[in-house]
Amino acid sequence: MEGKILYLDDIAKLYAKKSKDTIKNSKEIVKDVIELIKENLINGNSIQFTEFGTFEVSEYPDGTIRRDPYRNENIDLSGRKRLKFRYSDKLKDELKK
């Protein structure tokens, strides 16, 4: 599946095959895990998966301005939240292969 975008159904099918569970049950499990991750990120918690990476939410500092080249105007990003992902060293090494 190299170079392919995986959707929820694709991940559920892969999980069902690996766990020998039904696709319907696997889809519910994947949805529940994604919902738990989303809720925790919204609440400001970081999510760390060993040997994969860390998801964390940070805020742009006060006074952060970005120029929108299409509208030719400045956009104030102060206080806005952004999601960051830092991959682990192990994942980095595996991606290099």
Side-chain angles (χ1 to χ4, degrees):
M1 290 194 187
E2 191 172 323
K4 180 182 177 187
I5 295 175
L6 295 178
Y7 296 97
L8 182 110
D9 287 343
D10 300 323
I11 294 171
K13 287 175 187 174
L14 290 170
Y15 179 74
K17 186 176 181 180
K18 188 168 189 134
S19 66
K20 297 178 177 46
D21 198 355
T22 65
I23 293 175
K24 183 178 179 180
N25 192 39
S26 296
K27 189 172 182 178
E28 287 303 313
I29 291 170
V30 171
K31 277 183 173 180
D32 289 344
V33 169
I34 290 172
E35 190 61 33
L36 285 170
I37 292 170
K38 188 167 59 170
E39 287 173 9
N40 277 279
L41 290 170
I42 289 169
N43 290 329
N45 298 322
S46 295
I47 308 290
Q48 182 175 10
F49 295 103
T50 307
E51 299 180 3
F52 181 70
T54 304
F55 293 94
E56 60 187 359
V57 178
S58 65
E59 284 190 28
Y60 285 101
D62 288 340
T64 304
I65 304 291
R66 186 183 81 202
R67 183 107 179 122
D68 183 352
Y70 300 106
R71 296 186 187 138
N72 198 25
E73 57 188 37
N74 290 331
I75 300 170
D76 183 12
L77 298 175
S78 301
R80 287 192 187 180
K81 294 182 179 181
R82 62 181 169 177
L83 180 63
K84 295 193 303 186
F85 175 72
R86 290 184 319 201
Y87 51 85
S88 70
D89 290 337
K90 181 164 180 153
L91 179 60
K92 180 181 177 181
D93 292 341
E94 290 180 18
L95 289 172
K96 287 181 180 179
K97 293 179 183 179

